[in-house]
Amino acid sequence: MTYNPPIPQILLAMQTADRFAATQSGDLSPEDVQAILSEAGRFASERIAPLNPVGDRTPSTLDESGKVTTPPGWRETYQAWCEAGWNSLTGPTEYCGQGLPISLAVACTEFWNSSAMAFALCPLLTAGAIEAIYEHASQELKDRYLPKLVSGEWTGTMNLTEPQAGSDLSNLRCKAKRTGDGSYRITGNKIFITYGDHDCSPNIVHLVLARLEDAPAGTRGISLFLVPKILPDGSHNDLRCLSLEHKLGIRGSPTCAMAYGDNGGARGWLIGEENRGLNCMFTMMNNARLLVGTQGVALAERATQAAFAYARERVQGSAPGRDGTTSPIIHHPDVRRMLLEMRTRTAAARMLCMATASALDSSVNAQTEKERHRAYARASILTPLAKAYSTDIAVEVTSTAIQVHGGMGYVEETGVAQYYRDARILPIYEGTNGIQAIDLVTRKLLLGGGETLSQILESCRRTLSAFESCLPAMQAVADTEDLAKMLCDAPGGSLSLAVAVPFQRALANVVAGAHLAEAAALARGGALETEAAVNARFFIAVELVSAVAAAKASLSGADATGSDGLE
Amino acid sequence: MTYNPPIPQILLAMQTADRFAATQSGDLSPEDVQAILSEAGRFASERIAPLNPVGDRTPSTLDESGKVTTPPGWRETYQAWCEAGWNSLTGPTEYCGQGLPISLAVACTEFWNSSAMAFALCPLLTAGAIEAIYEHASQELKDRYLPKLVSGEWTGTMNLTEPQAGSDLSNLRCKAKRTGDGSYRITGNKIFITYGDHDCSPNIVHLVLARLEDAPAGTRGISLFLVPKILPDGSHNDLRCLSLEHKLGIRGSPTCAMAYGDNGGARGWLIGEENRGLNCMFTMMNNARLLVGTQGVALAERATQAAFAYARERVQGSAPGRDGTTSPIIHHPDVRRMLLEMRTRTAAARMLCMATASALDSSVNAQTEKERHRAYARASILTPLAKAYSTDIAVEVTSTAIQVHGGMGYVEETGVAQYYRDARILPIYEGTNGIQAIDLVTRKLLLGGGETLSQILESCRRTLSAFESCLPAMQAVADTEDLAKMLCDAPGGSLSLAVAVPFQRALANVVAGAHLAEAAALARGGALETEAAVNARFFIAVELVSAVAAAKASLSGADATGSDGLE
């Protein structure tokens, strides 16, 4: 199945996000943006997309010498991709990055991940490492590592998880010891390390969370270290890949169990201050959450394209009003309902990711300090919505794509089954969607004394009330405000935590619905205008209203989750 | 992960179904039922469950001679299972079947499929073949084939699908030719034939849909033939397995592309009348739909057990009210919400399947002709609900099971990823869930001039109104009645077809909600009583209310599915 980069839809999402936030996310001309997207889309569909089934059928392997080999074609394509400058798109300009806005990175990230998510994961992690190093590392470390990370010659990883410490990092056991020469010795095991070893680059820069011997217990005793695979003197550091996971999806990407310090300790250098490692990690995680949300958009888009193509071609039965002649299944009302659900959920997720990106860009580019602060607070609320909504719907939309294909969807050769398997990691990694919801209701809603949320809901209400026939939607906004108020009054209580996920989905629907309404007003010209109007109409009437009703119902049944009958 | 047969929950579902329908589904004593379930549960958990990962990792193979080999251990276990008498449970007594009620078959079917769905598929198809032959074949065919099909010595298949004819059978091309000796010659290809060839039994009885040369076009020109792999004279019939599908799940079960008549035509015998093959097929499909629904219950139950076990054991973070000490994740409110959703959806699906089974049993056993008719009409409405709801929630519940496991759920070794992959076929085969919904809104709702549906809704209303604090539920029943009325007024229109699936889900929730309320009233004693009360409370307040709200919203946005913007 060919992949068609949805450039008009992405441009509309960018334009909507900027208009909605009343800011400008960057100083590129529309022509520049269009040109970059065209080139990126071409590279993605022509060069990366063919790798996707290859990686699924020929996963990365680990040989006896401890060397990881990526699937056929991956190394060459990765290098060509870096040479074309795609890795350095948003990198800092002082390290030869192009310093382009995050909105543009999000657009391109969608292309790479629609084409082959297991392949595109590697630079996604490098981007996180660049950010953490740039924000928190010493000048010396920056100068030594950033140029090659920005160009993509070297890649980066995040080493958080240990067998006993997944969502809860307070429990980390990996150890760090001062050596006296400014470096540290790291020992311990990490699991689920994406691209922990591979053959696409000669060096890998591991960012590793570990605990100093004299560190306080819990999350306040965790430090972040830069631990390169190859040391500055060219020797191999004391670290290795122990094994690769056998996963449901993203099989092309090597998910490594890593051992540090089998022979006395891997050499590492501190990033930021001792015991403040989580702060540095969160810098990179926020951005990574947005990019994982974008992976959700990417898979949903790809699956939607596959379902539309199949529904146009597959002839079964006679649709109503077709006089008994057989029809392509796209004429059958229930198939149309599925396709519309897929398309609008994908568009909604893209709006949320682009809104977050635009707010992040504004938090850097806006003219006044106050505007920058407001934009950052806005991005903070939008990030869990973008991550959780986009990844939840990726699972749903890829599942519906299988349903549209019928039996053919269950056969691996068709390709949609891979999207379904790949998608299932998204609600889990970079903070499970339950963790996103806890972050939302216990921290983000309270930002600025609740002011940021009020502003977001207020602008949603304004936009939705300008949209045709949106009475149930206005009621849904009011219900969402009531729910938010209730949650803000008891942020950490069992009841609010039990409804956090359905509330997160409801709020995401309200924000996305408002963006789709705005997009329908902005879209001009032929197919895109019709599509935007239909999307907004269906999404607001069906999706938004249902999601808010589900959150309300969830609250009224939340007491049952507290019962003893569960244990 | 050990499988624990949920015998108390199944007994409660049986009791509820009988009470709800005011009938008695069979004349077995409670002690007999308990004894049979205990034995079946033991065989399932001890003998069948160990096969499940084996089949997934070592799928059936086809060798160059055209022979299919099932995974290690399957043949021996299948034979032991037949010898223990499990295949003949519901078979007709005149062919050495035990003639036990369908309710009991549904209970046992849950056990077999919770243990290893790919394994349990084979007898599920044999049961369909037995039914079609028993109802429609000549005495000679019955006497020749039923004894060995009932004992399980031989197995059966259904051959419907061809590449160009999936949901729409009017388009079938497989041909049949009269020979003059009362038999026919069959030629053509079939795809997606479950257990089309295998090594568990010496003979396989294929039921094949084909078209006589002089048959009218469309579905009125299709006949059903019995085509054995081995002919009565001991020679091999002219049929073979061409290839096996490479599937997302149920990998242990061989899904065959079959060729009939490479050498002049496979010998077959007519079942029922010429050109009336679809009637015979529908006999077996209705029952098969209930059993596929039961497969959904089975996978949901297995995944729920795995999630509870993991949540009790995995320690992460500190739950509210636990004074900052770390907790098993079952103490976290959002995890509890997921677990409760999984458990109640599974219980609801079981109620629907058992209600259908009980109605089918009553349609045979009830005292008066009128009662039998009413029970049959009731089963007709309940069948699409049981099939569609149970299989949809199987996909959702197995997905949530992965979420509860976090990263460990994405690793194949944990086992829940297999349930997720296996479950995805269920909303597709035996009539997609969209087809179930079309059947529901264009035919089933209209049964008896709408009288059957009215009676069902009336008894739901009665039961729910007796349940504590069910005001929103009563509103939901009223909304469902309004929706049903609207659908009955325009049964084949685009609008009603576009909301058929959400309506089907809403109606399933209302019926299941009423059964769970009844079960809460019936359950006596300790853990089961608490569980039934919590299930009913949560399901009615959250699930039922949300599903009906979604169906209503779906109606208000249904016009968008008709727009040109989709093509």
Side-chain angles (χ1 to χ4, degrees):
Chain A
M1 238 288 298
T2 328
Y3 166 59
N4 297 307
I7 294 175
Q9 284 80 0
I10 287 179
L11 290 171
L12 181 59
M14 286 177 142
Q15 202 188 344
T16 306
D18 282 357
R19 176 75 78 91
F20 205 85
T23 59
Q24 244 264 284
S25 57
D27 49 7
L28 286 179
S29 73
E31 292 71 28
D32 289 344
V33 172
Q34 171 82 53
I36 294 171
L37 293 186
S38 296
E39 272 309 302
R42 193 142 56 110
F43 195 102
S45 57
E46 291 176 7
R47 305 288 300 272
I48 301 178
L51 302 178
N52 202 37
V54 177
D56 195 52
R57 284 166 209 166
T58 323
S60 290
T61 53
L62 173 69
D63 69 17
E64 285 176 21
S65 73
K67 202 170 117 41
V68 173
T69 305
T70 54
W74 286 35
R75 195 161 65 104
E76 298 75 8
T77 309
Y78 175 75
Q79 285 163 0
W81 182 82
C82 291
E83 276 158 26
W86 294 115
N87 194 66
S88 61
L89 213 61
T90 56
T93 46
E94 60 267 51
Y95 295 100
C96 298
Q98 300 165 59
L100 294 176
I102 292 172
S103 312
L104 204 61
V106 161
C108 294
T109 297
E110 181 182 327
F111 297 156
W112 319 134
N113 284 280
S114 280
S115 301
M117 188 169 108
F119 175 86
L121 254 179
C122 185
L124 198 148
L125 286 153
T126 305
I130 291 170
E131 204 179 344
I133 294 169
Y134 184 73
E135 293 290 335
H136 301 287
S138 68
Q139 193 61 43
E140 195 187 338
L141 285 178
K142 286 192 208 179
D143 292 345
R144 193 188 297 156
Y145 290 101
L146 284 179
K148 292 192 173 177
L149 284 171
V150 168
S151 71
E153 189 180 334
W154 295 351
T155 68
T157 72
M158 290 166 74
N159 285 242
L160 287 76
T161 307
E162 299 175 10
Q164 78 294 345
S167 297
D168 178 9
L169 294 170
S170 65
N171 209 13
L172 285 182
R173 292 188 196 144
C174 205
K175 286 205 179 71
K177 212 171 152 174
R178 296 179 196 88
T179 60
D181 68 355
S183 73
Y184 295 76
R185 294 283 179 176
I186 314 292
T187 49
N189 288 347
K190 294 284 180 179
I191 59 167
F192 297 159
I193 308 309
T194 302
Y195 281 90
D197 193 38
H198 62 85
D199 58 353
C200 293
S201 69
N203 199 1
I204 300 171
V205 178
H206 299 288
L207 299 199
V208 183
L209 287 183
R211 196 181 284 288
L212 285 161
E213 291 157 301
D214 52 5
T219 52
R220 283 174 197 164
I222 296 171
S223 307
L224 181 64
F225 299 91
L226 187 158
V227 188
K229 176 179 172 181
I230 306 296
L231 289 164
D233 65 7
S235 65
H236 201 293
N237 206 346
D238 181 11
L239 59 91
R240 65 194 176 97
C241 170
L242 289 172
S243 61
L244 298 182
E245 300 294 348
H246 176 218
K247 305 186 299 294
L248 174 59
I250 50 167
R251 291 189 183 155
S253 82
T255 304
C256 305
M258 300 291 297
Y260 290 89
D262 281 353
N263 301 302
R267 286 192 72 185
W269 287 267
L270 187 69
I271 296 181
E273 291 171 43
E274 288 187 351
N275 300 331
R276 300 291 305 264
L278 279 198
N279 284 35
C280 309
M281 214 45 152
F282 279 126
T283 306
M284 82 196 256
M285 278 180 79
N286 257 330
N287 204 340
R289 285 173 176 182
L290 169 58
L291 295 182
V292 169
T294 306
Q295 294 188 305
V297 177
L299 282 184
E301 171 66 30
R302 188 77 196 268
T304 302
Q305 289 191 15
F308 269 84
Y310 187 78
R312 287 190 182 110
E313 163 199 295
R314 173 76 170 169
V315 174
Q316 291 286 280
S318 175
R322 302 273 161 172
D323 302 327
T325 57
T326 54
S327 326
I329 62 172
I330 198 170
H331 291 157
H332 289 285
D334 183 54
V335 174
R336 295 172 79 81
R337 179 192 59 80
M338 288 193 275
L339 293 172
L340 199 44
E341 185 185 281
M342 294 171 77
R343 193 179 75 186
T344 58
R345 286 181 180 179
T346 305
R350 185 181 289 121
M351 290 290 167
L352 287 174
C353 289
M354 210 48 95
T356 311
S358 164
L360 284 172
D361 284 329
S362 301
S363 77
V364 177
N365 299 333
Q367 301 225 315
T368 69
E369 175 79 11
K370 197 179 154 199
E371 282 173 343
R372 292 195 290 274
H373 264 293
R374 272 175 71 155
Y376 188 78
R378 187 176 152 79
S380 300
I381 288 198
L382 292 176
T383 298
L385 303 184
K387 195 278 177 179
Y389 179 82
S390 306
T391 59
D392 279 340
I393 67 101
V395 172
E396 297 159 9
V397 167
T398 54
S399 177
T400 307
I402 293 183
Q403 192 67 19
V404 171
H405 281 76
M408 290 307 296
Y410 202 64
V411 172
E412 286 285 0
E413 283 73 7
T414 312
V416 288
Q418 185 190 344
Y419 309 146
Y420 182 64
R421 290 187 285 98
D422 285 355
R424 197 60 197 77
I425 190 59
L426 297 174
I428 296 171
Y429 69 16
E430 260 340 285
T432 66
N433 288 358
I435 302 261
Q436 305 297 325
I438 293 171
D439 176 45
L440 179 69
V441 304
T442 62
R443 283 187 286 270
K444 301 296 176 66
L445 290 191
L446 307 173
L447 282 175
E451 196 50 37
T452 310
L453 177 72
S454 297
Q455 284 161 5
I456 289 175
L457 284 171
E458 174 56 32
S459 72
C460 290
R461 196 189 309 111
R462 244 190 344 258
T463 310
L464 286 166
S465 71
F467 191 73
E468 43 152 355
S469 66
C470 55
L471 212 63
M474 297 314 297
Q475 182 57 49
V477 175
D479 288 343
T480 306
E481 280 173 325
D482 290 346
L483 278 168
K485 212 172 151 56
M486 190 282 299
L487 293 171
C488 285
D489 289 346
S494 293
L495 201 74
S496 89
L497 292 172
V499 301
V501 162
F503 171 76
Q504 176 171 252
R505 176 96 180 208
L507 184 58
N509 267 270
V510 169
V511 175
H515 277 72
L516 289 170
E518 184 75 24
L522 283 173
R524 283 290 163 271
L528 187 65
E529 187 173 341
T530 313
E531 179 178 320
V534 173
N535 280 357
R537 165 95 188 88
F538 182 85
F539 188 86
I540 293 166
V542 181
E543 294 283 314
L544 189 165
V545 170
S546 301
V548 176
K552 274 179 71 178
S554 194
L555 179 64
S556 81
D559 58 325
T561 62
S563 77
D564 289 339
L566 263 184
E567 281 152 65
Chain B
M1 237 287 301
T2 327
Y3 166 60
N4 297 308
I7 293 176
Q9 285 79 0
I10 286 180
L11 290 171
L12 180 60
M14 287 178 142
Q15 202 189 345
T16 306
D18 283 356
R19 176 75 78 92
F20 204 86
T23 60
Q24 243 266 282
S25 59
D27 50 7
L28 287 178
S29 72
E31 292 72 27
D32 289 343
V33 172
Q34 171 82 53
I36 294 171
L37 293 187
S38 297
E39 272 309 301
R42 192 141 57 109
F43 195 102
S45 57
E46 290 177 6
R47 304 288 298 273
I48 301 178
L51 302 178
N52 201 39
V54 177
D56 195 52
R57 283 167 210 168
T58 322
S60 290
T61 52
L62 172 69
D63 68 18
E64 285 176 20
S65 72
K67 203 170 116 40
V68 174
T69 305
T70 54
W74 286 37
R75 195 161 66 105
E76 299 74 10
T77 309
Y78 176 74
Q79 286 164 359
W81 182 83
C82 291
E83 276 157 26
W86 294 117
N87 194 66
S88 61
L89 212 62
T90 57
T93 48
E94 59 267 52
Y95 296 100
C96 299
Q98 298 165 61
L100 294 177
I102 292 172
S103 311
L104 204 61
V106 161
C108 294
T109 297
E110 181 182 327
F111 296 157
W112 319 135
N113 284 280
S114 279
S115 302
M117 188 169 107
F119 175 86
L121 254 179
C122 186
L124 198 149
L125 287 152
T126 305
I130 291 170
E131 204 180 346
I133 294 170
Y134 184 73
E135 293 290 336
H136 300 287
S138 68
Q139 192 61 44
E140 196 188 337
L141 286 179
K142 287 191 206 178
D143 291 345
R144 195 187 296 155
Y145 290 99
L146 284 179
K148 291 192 173 176
L149 284 170
V150 169
S151 70
E153 190 178 332
W154 294 351
T155 69
T157 73
M158 290 165 76
N159 284 242
L160 287 77
T161 306
E162 299 175 10
Q164 79 293 347
S167 296
D168 179 8
L169 294 171
S170 66
N171 210 11
L172 286 182
R173 290 187 197 147
C174 206
K175 286 204 178 73
K177 211 171 152 175
R178 296 178 196 90
T179 60
D181 69 354
S183 75
Y184 295 76
R185 293 285 177 173
I186 314 292
T187 49
N189 289 347
K190 295 283 181 181
I191 59 167
F192 295 159
I193 308 308
T194 303
Y195 281 91
D197 194 38
H198 62 84
D199 58 353
C200 293
S201 68
N203 199 2
I204 300 172
V205 179
H206 299 289
L207 299 199
V208 182
L209 287 183
R211 196 181 284 286
L212 285 160
E213 290 156 302
D214 52 4
T219 53
R220 284 177 195 161
I222 295 172
S223 307
L224 180 64
F225 299 92
L226 186 159
V227 187
K229 176 180 173 181
I230 305 297
L231 290 164
D233 65 8
S235 64
H236 200 293
N237 207 346
D238 181 11
L239 60 89
R240 65 194 176 95
C241 171
L242 289 172
S243 61
L244 298 182
E245 301 294 349
H246 176 218
K247 305 186 300 293
L248 174 60
I250 50 167
R251 291 189 183 155
S253 81
T255 303
C256 305
M258 299 292 295
Y260 291 90
D262 280 352
N263 301 302
R267 287 191 72 185
W269 287 268
L270 187 70
I271 296 180
E273 294 171 42
E274 287 185 351
N275 301 330
R276 299 292 305 266
L278 279 198
N279 284 37
C280 308
M281 214 47 152
F282 278 127
T283 305
M284 82 195 256
M285 279 180 77
N286 256 329
N287 203 338
R289 284 173 176 183
L290 168 58
L291 295 181
V292 169
T294 306
Q295 292 187 306
V297 177
L299 283 184
E301 171 67 30
R302 189 74 196 270
T304 302
Q305 288 191 17
F308 268 85
Y310 187 79
R312 286 190 182 108
E313 164 199 294
R314 173 75 170 170
V315 173
Q316 291 286 281
S318 175
R322 302 272 160 172
D323 302 326
T325 58
T326 55
S327 326
I329 62 172
I330 199 169
H331 291 158
H332 290 285
D334 183 54
V335 174
R336 295 173 78 82
R337 180 192 58 80
M338 290 193 274
L339 293 172
L340 199 44
E341 184 185 281
M342 296 171 76
R343 193 177 77 185
T344 59
R345 287 181 178 179
T346 304
R350 185 181 288 120
M351 290 289 166
L352 287 173
C353 289
M354 210 48 97
T356 311
S358 165
L360 285 172
D361 284 329
S362 301
S363 76
V364 176
N365 299 333
Q367 301 224 314
T368 69
E369 175 77 12
K370 196 180 154 199
E371 281 173 345
R372 291 195 292 274
H373 264 294
R374 274 177 68 155
Y376 188 77
R378 187 176 151 78
S380 300
I381 288 197
L382 292 176
T383 298
L385 303 184
K387 196 277 178 181
Y389 180 81
S390 306
T391 58
D392 278 339
I393 66 101
V395 172
E396 297 158 9
V397 168
T398 53
S399 178
T400 307
I402 292 183
Q403 193 67 20
V404 170
H405 282 77
M408 289 308 296
Y410 202 66
V411 172
E412 287 285 0
E413 283 73 9
T414 312
V416 289
Q418 184 191 345
Y419 309 147
Y420 182 64
R421 290 187 286 96
D422 285 354
R424 196 61 196 76
I425 189 59
L426 296 174
I428 296 171
Y429 69 16
E430 259 342 285
T432 65
N433 288 357
I435 301 260
Q436 305 298 325
I438 293 171
D439 176 46
L440 179 69
V441 304
T442 62
R443 285 186 286 270
K444 301 297 177 65
L445 290 191
L446 307 172
L447 283 175
E451 195 49 36
T452 310
L453 177 72
S454 297
Q455 284 162 5
I456 289 174
L457 285 171
E458 173 56 34
S459 73
C460 289
R461 196 188 310 112
R462 244 188 345 257
T463 310
L464 286 166
S465 71
F467 191 72
E468 44 149 356
S469 66
C470 56
L471 212 64
M474 298 314 296
Q475 182 57 47
V477 175
D479 289 342
T480 306
E481 279 172 327
D482 290 346
L483 279 168
K485 212 171 151 56
M486 190 282 299
L487 293 171
C488 286
D489 288 346
S494 293
L495 201 73
S496 89
L497 292 172
V499 300
V501 162
F503 171 76
Q504 177 171 253
R505 177 95 181 210
L507 184 59
N509 267 270
V510 169
V511 176
H515 277 73
L516 289 170
E518 183 76 23
L522 284 172
R524 282 290 162 273
L528 186 65
E529 187 173 340
T530 313
E531 177 178 319
V534 174
N535 280 356
R537 164 95 187 89
F538 182 84
F539 188 85
I540 293 167
V542 181
E543 294 282 316
L544 189 166
V545 169
S546 301
V548 175
K552 274 178 70 178
S554 193
L555 179 65
S556 82
D559 58 327
T561 62
S563 77
D564 289 339
L566 262 185
E567 280 152 67

